Amino acid sequence: MLNRILLILFLACCGECFTACASTNVVINGSNFQQAINSASSGDTLVVQSGIYNGNVSFDRSLTVVCSGGQIQLTGTTSVTNNATVSFSQTQFVGVVQAATNTTTILSQSACSNSVILSGGTFQAFDSQFQDLRATGGKVTVKRCNFASTLNMTSAAFEALRLSASGKITAAAPVGSGLRFVMVQSSIGVAWATGYQVYIAYSDAMGDSFTSGQSPDGTYSLLYFQDCDTVLIGNIVYQHCSTTGTDNAAVGSTRGTLKAYNNRLSEDGNIREYVAHYNGATGEMINNTLTGGADNLDSGVLVQQSLGPVILRNNIIDGNLNLESDSPATVPECSYSCIRTGTLINITGISCIYTSALFNSGGFSAVLSPANTWASLSSSSPCINTGSPLAIYNNTDGTRNTMGYTGGPLWNPANYTNNNPIMFFLNTTNQMVLKGVQSTVQINLGASAGH
């Protein structure tokens, strides 16, 4: 027993010793950054004086890099190797950032004006700005980040909260991989995924589908999913096409499943424009508002070669939007929906109303920028409490379903970025100040916890 107690005490003391061995090393502006890395031990913290540090740097051990003052600027290539975990804050990367397999790279309040290239491992970024990102394997997590160009994932899991991306997002994984593509409260232009489990909620995708290129199903789509299990909740997707004679889709799915709830989907442009295009895919569209169709040849929902049913229920279909299937069996019903001027082709309408939905006057505040009230119902709309009478479709207040994106049990305006008031407060990250050196402490506006 005494030996066991002595062993426990010995291990406890060793644990304290190991913790105490982690050091804080000071890097003065003008010194050799790589030499400071080489002199540090794994687990150490580098307190770096703000300024410019030239040359390439390679992190082959786990370190925490914090800035004393304003911002660190690394002009060369920054690489993370050897299974290291490296955390950066308030760092500007002028050169490429590279991370190898089994590494962990964490960026906070940082910026990269070049490419981020990830070969497996874990990448996390918070409150940062980037040019473009390429990831092969591993996992990418970005929160409150901006991307000026493209994001490209190959067999890499992806999670984004309040992402802003003006370029194209692509993600490709083997079919059945089970990898997740999650995006919430984000604003993007184009996103295509293959082989993922996709969840996109309370986000907006807006742009010219022709500039996105032709997706594998032959259309030009803003959101396109191939062999994915996809769920869309509470999004705004506004697709515009600047050219004629092309097939375009706000949302397209080839094979896999596509389930859409409480979305506002719109197309605007020329002939053969689809709000949603199911190509060999199954799924359902419930409580969505579909608008558009300046041309009588436009199609609102087109179902082609489906291997299973596509259910349409409690939707508002406003404009010259046809609901069209190449086989009556693929769309067994379009029920409890409001259809203004479109037609049903190979689709049976059940308990639908054929009239105007009577929207509020709120429209687009600017090009491709809808106001919060866009496509919301007026108080006299015939769509209020006239959706499916089944209790599972009841509104959140327990009343009968209201057709369109504001109805049903999943409608939650508090989760949508533009409708959700956010409380801000002043905060600052922990910073270390060098004795005898003038430092600037940066104060940032931070969103409330969880945002």
Side-chain angles (χ1 to χ4, degrees):
M1 178 63 73
L2 178 60
N3 290 338
R4 181 177 298 177
I5 293 173
L6 290 175
L7 177 61
I8 293 173
L9 290 174
F10 173 76
L11 292 175
C13 291
C14 287
E16 292 178 1
C17 177
F18 294 152
T19 302
C21 287
S23 301
T24 298
N25 307 319
V26 174
V27 183
I28 301 296
N29 190 12
S31 62
N32 188 304
F33 204 107
Q34 185 62 58
Q35 186 175 2
I37 296 171
N38 297 342
S39 299
S41 299
S42 185
D44 284 358
T45 296
L46 299 183
V47 180
V48 185
Q49 185 183 7
S50 60
I52 299 174
Y53 295 83
N54 295 314
N56 300 334
V57 291
S58 177
F59 292 81
D60 61 352
R61 63 206 68 187
S62 298
L63 296 171
T64 299
V65 179
V66 297
C67 179
S68 171
Q71 190 177 63
I72 309 163
Q73 185 180 103
L74 302 179
T75 63
T77 297
T78 300
S79 58
V80 180
T81 63
N82 197 33
N83 302 332
T85 296
V86 184
S87 175
F88 301 89
S89 65
Q90 295 173 256
T91 304
Q92 180 181 3
F93 301 91
V94 178
V96 174
V97 175
Q98 297 178 329
T101 303
N102 296 326
T103 60
T104 298
T105 307
I106 304 170
L107 274 60
S108 175
Q109 299 179 27
S110 298
C112 182
S113 55
N114 212 306
S115 297
V116 176
I117 303 174
L118 311 171
S119 300
T122 300
F123 178 81
Q124 300 175 5
F126 309 92
D127 306 292
S128 298
Q129 292 77 43
F130 301 90
Q131 183 65 25
D132 66 87
L133 179 147
R134 284 170 278 168
T136 302
K139 182 177 180 179
V140 175
T141 301
V142 292
K143 296 184 179 182
R144 303 174 302 274
C145 291
N146 297 323
F147 283 81
S149 188
T150 58
L151 291 89
N152 188 304
M153 271 75 61
T154 302
S155 297
F158 179 69
E159 293 184 1
L161 170 67
R162 299 198 175 185
L163 165 70
S164 176
S166 56
K168 186 175 181 179
I169 302 174
T170 58
V175 178
S177 66
L179 288 173
R180 286 165 55 84
F181 181 104
V182 179
M183 188 164 58
V184 180
Q185 294 182 339
S186 298
S187 181
I188 65 169
V190 178
W192 292 1
T194 301
Y196 279 77
Q197 292 182 348
V198 179
Y199 177 88
I200 302 177
Y202 309 105
S203 299
D204 58 70
M206 304 181 196
D208 188 331
S209 62
F210 188 71
T211 62
S212 67
Q214 193 171 30
S215 52
D217 66 349
T219 66
Y220 294 83
S221 302
L222 290 188
L223 297 183
Y224 176 74
F225 313 102
Q226 180 172 295
D227 297 305
C228 294
D229 292 326
T230 303
V231 177
L232 305 178
I233 299 179
N235 303 288
I236 294 178
V237 184
Y238 180 86
Q239 178 267 127
H240 174 76
C241 188
S242 60
T243 187
T244 60
T246 58
D247 291 334
N248 307 283
V251 178
S253 179
T254 297
R255 298 182 296 275
T257 60
L258 172 60
K259 298 180 179 181
Y261 312 100
N262 299 93
N263 301 283
R264 281 176 280 182
L265 310 178
S266 181
E267 59 82 9
D268 173 33
N270 306 291
I271 63 174
R272 298 199 302 273
E273 303 261 333
Y274 313 123
V275 175
H277 183 203
Y278 286 81
N279 183 21
T282 64
E284 58 189 23
M285 299 191 69
I286 297 176
N287 273 109
N288 301 281
T289 297
L290 317 179
T291 65
D295 192 299
N296 284 330
L297 296 178
D298 288 356
S299 292
V301 178
L302 177 63
V303 179
Q304 293 181 308
Q305 305 168 355
S306 272
L307 303 179
V310 176
I311 302 298
L312 306 175
R313 192 170 291 147
N314 305 326
N315 300 293
I316 293 176
I317 301 133
D318 190 82
N320 295 314
L321 298 176
N322 300 326
L323 277 72
E324 183 175 352
S325 173
D326 58 6
S327 170
T330 58
V331 182
E333 67 173 79
C334 171
S335 63
Y336 295 98
S337 295
C338 177
I339 303 171
R340 181 161 69 95
T341 58
T343 58
L344 304 179
I345 301 174
N346 281 335
I347 297 174
T348 301
I350 300 174
S351 300
C352 293
I353 59 174
Y354 296 84
T355 183
S356 172
L358 294 181
F359 295 137
N360 285 320
S361 59
F364 285 80
S365 57
V367 176
L368 298 183
S369 180
N372 290 339
T373 56
W374 170 55
S376 62
L377 298 174
S378 69
S379 59
S380 58
S381 171
C383 299
I384 296 175
N385 303 133
T386 53
S388 172
L390 294 177
I392 60 171
Y393 298 115
N394 282 353
N395 299 321
T396 54
D397 62 1
T399 60
R400 178 175 170 171
N401 183 279
T402 291
M403 298 176 184
Y405 81 94
T406 61
L410 298 180
W411 167 239
N412 186 0
N415 276 336
Y416 185 66
T417 308
N418 294 336
N419 292 340
N420 186 19
I422 304 170
M423 296 181 63
F424 287 88
F425 56 90
L426 288 175
N427 76 92
T428 179
T429 57
N430 294 331
Q431 298 185 44
M432 302 187 69
V433 179
L434 304 181
K435 183 178 180 180
V437 178
Q438 181 176 342
S439 299
T440 302
V441 177
Q442 181 176 335
I443 298 177
N444 302 280
L445 276 177
S448 56
H451 296 279

